[in-house]
Amino acid sequence: MNYLDANATTPVDPAVLDAMLPFLREHFANPSASYAGGRVAHRAVEKARGQVAALLGAETDEVIFTSGGTESINAVHASVRALWPEKRDLVITGTEHPAVIESAKRWQAQDGQVKHAPVHPDGRVDLDALRELVRPGSTALISIMWANNETGVIAPMDEIVEIAHAAGALMHTDAVQAAGKIPVNVKRTPVDFLSLSGHKMHAPKGIGALYVSQRVRFAPLLVGGGQEKERRSGTENVPGIVGLGKAAELCQEHFKDGTAERIRGMRDRFEGLIREVAQVHGSTEHRLHTTSSICLPEIDTAGMLILLDRQGICVSAGSACHTGALHPSHVLEAMGVSARDAACTLRFSFHRFNTLADAETAAKAVIETAHKLRAERGDDSMVSFN
Ligand code: PLP
């Protein structure tokens, strides 16, 4: 299998699995239990909290474990809406993940107002327009993703945080695609809330974290047994938490060992080869080194996906959350990409277990398949981009 869909999910790192296994086998006790087994589990949870906090440059007690990115995002929106009811505005962009978009609809349904900041054609938010939208006294929260799941475009987060705080608004970032891939440090970039997800960084699915700054109040989404210092009830997913902690530690190690450059090398090689038949969406300079969203003009994406799948090449049409229903991506639409080009878009996302050969094999397959599909239609001429 040539797995190039890391933005959908990543393979669990063997070292992460090794760290988790004892907590599925012998150390299965409930971390709230007072006997020795419970204390072992509790210590493991706290160690993992420290590992995640270290990845983010946060204080340990600023990290809350959740079931993933979606829960973390929903929890922030619900908390801010509940605690600051007099401030009605939530500001997002048109390129957010559905977890933010759908949660924003709830905000709206709770007598709130949702405002959309436009993005430039390169996918980055229009900061002047954002400044206009954010108003002291009425904007409660800006919720803008750090890196986009479909295009990999990286937001100007320092500037966005400044805009939020200058207007007395709180700042949440969906860092699900950024955390562990690029340096994300809440001391340098003082967001108030940050969401991340284990399965995008080589930990398992169903585990995530929410950073809540000590500066801000937080009302829990889930109430019950009072775990996580009353901020997220429910018996802790100890193996998942241990896995996330280990994954966070590994990501930090990989920041130092040239992994990003290696992945960038394969991604750039891929893009260099496919330029013959495709065009890359989104900013070149401000884009994750892992991600290529490519437009293959006039190519039937569904057909291309099937033919690549037959060769063991796993990629997505737009966002994984949309597959099954191949409607044009709202992200590309917000960037001003035509519906026709958006419909011809595939996303390739690389991870640390890929090799240069994976990238080259995939590029070769894309080129050959594009020619084949065009030839079948009796049109193998180069099509101009629009
Ligand atoms: N935000 C972004 C940018 C994502 O890519 C995803 C997952 O696709 C999510 C949020 C949701 O995260 P989870 O799958 O952990 O709920």
Side-chain angles (χ1 to χ4, degrees):
M1 181 166 80
N2 191 350
Y3 186 77
L4 302 175
D5 202 15
N7 289 10
T9 197
T10 52
V12 171
D13 191 299
V16 167
L17 181 62
D18 286 347
M20 291 173 66
L21 283 175
F23 295 90
L24 289 160
R25 291 191 180 124
E26 56 272 32
H27 302 312
F28 59 83
N30 189 317
S32 299
S34 58
Y35 39 82
R39 293 198 299 277
V40 170
H42 176 77
R43 275 199 298 276
V45 168
E46 294 315 309
K47 179 180 171 191
R49 201 184 308 282
Q51 288 165 316
V52 174
L55 179 71
L56 302 177
E59 299 301 322
T60 308
D61 67 358
E62 292 176 317
V63 173
I64 302 170
F65 291 113
T66 66
S67 65
T70 301
E71 183 191 324
S72 297
I73 291 163
N74 276 262
V76 170
H77 291 185
S79 171
V80 176
R81 187 74 201 106
L83 294 176
W84 287 273
E86 69 290 355
K87 289 188 170 187
R88 293 181 62 215
D89 292 1
L90 165 66
V91 179
I92 66 173
T93 72
T95 60
E96 299 305 314
H97 186 272
V100 166
I101 295 173
E102 295 303 316
S103 174
K105 287 184 189 162
R106 285 203 168 161
W107 179 289
Q108 185 97 31
Q110 291 160 351
D111 196 32
Q113 282 222 22
V114 179
K115 297 190 169 168
H116 291 84
V119 300
H120 293 296
D122 71 355
R124 299 192 101 207
V125 64
D126 179 335
L127 291 171
D128 292 331
L130 179 66
R131 241 176 243 113
E132 287 291 305
L133 283 179
V134 178
R135 309 232 163 211
S138 47
T139 306
L141 182 69
I142 297 182
S143 187
I144 292 183
M145 65 200 331
W146 199 309
N148 186 272
N149 50 304
E150 295 190 24
T151 60
V153 169
I154 300 170
M157 199 46 65
D158 291 343
E159 289 87 339
I160 297 172
V161 174
E162 243 181 76
I163 291 171
H165 289 169
L170 293 167
M171 179 69 215
H172 165 250
T173 185
D174 167 0
V176 165
Q177 295 292 346
K181 292 180 190 150
I182 55 173
V184 163
N185 186 298
V186 295
K187 293 233 160 52
R188 276 201 297 274
T189 309
V191 294
D192 300 295
F193 307 100
L194 178 149
S195 303
L196 64 80
S197 177
H199 74 105
K200 312 291 185 177
M201 45 191 280
H202 301 284
K205 294 155 192 70
I207 184 67
L210 170 60
Y211 159 81
V212 179
S213 161
Q214 285 167 345
R215 298 182 301 270
V216 293
R217 287 185 292 144
F218 177 72
L221 182 64
L222 299 184
V223 292
Q227 287 87 349
E228 297 292 284
K229 295 196 176 147
E230 311 266 338
R231 295 174 300 180
R232 199 279 188 180
S233 284
T235 303
E236 297 88 338
N237 170 2
V238 180
I241 289 171
V242 168
L244 178 58
K246 184 68 189 176
E249 183 189 299
L250 291 175
C251 287
Q252 274 204 294
E253 284 171 18
H254 287 302
F255 281 139
K256 295 176 210 140
D257 70 5
T259 296
E261 289 66 35
R262 192 173 59 78
I263 300 174
R264 184 186 299 282
M266 53 182 104
R267 196 277 313 265
D268 288 353
R269 174 81 179 134
F270 171 79
E271 288 188 0
L273 291 169
I274 53 95
R275 269 179 207 282
E276 181 187 330
V277 292
Q279 178 186 286
V280 181
H281 293 297
S283 166
T284 308
E285 193 189 340
H286 303 286
R287 185 150 52 85
L288 292 175
H289 53 280
T290 56
T291 307
S292 292
S293 170
I294 66 167
C295 168
L296 291 144
E298 313 290 332
I299 292 289
D300 163 24
T301 316
M304 173 69 93
L305 279 176
I306 293 166
L307 293 174
L308 292 179
D309 183 27
R310 279 194 199 147
Q311 298 170 68
I313 299 170
C314 309
V315 299
S316 275
S319 162
C321 303
H322 301 163
T323 33
L326 287 184
H327 44 78
S329 136
H330 69 280
V331 173
L332 298 175
E333 196 183 4
M335 290 163 64
V337 175
S338 71
R340 223 176 74 192
D341 282 354
C344 301
T345 294
L346 290 179
R347 179 189 68 189
F348 292 74
S349 43
F350 298 83
H351 57 89
R352 63 176 177 253
F353 297 111
N354 287 131
T355 62
L356 190 60
D358 291 340
E360 287 175 346
T361 310
K364 196 165 155 256
V366 169
I367 295 164
E368 279 173 13
T369 311
H371 287 312
K372 185 166 173 247
L373 288 170
R374 283 180 187 147
E376 271 170 14
R377 276 207 338 244
D379 166 25
D380 199 17
S381 57
M382 277 312 299
V383 187
S384 63
F385 297 111
N386 53 16

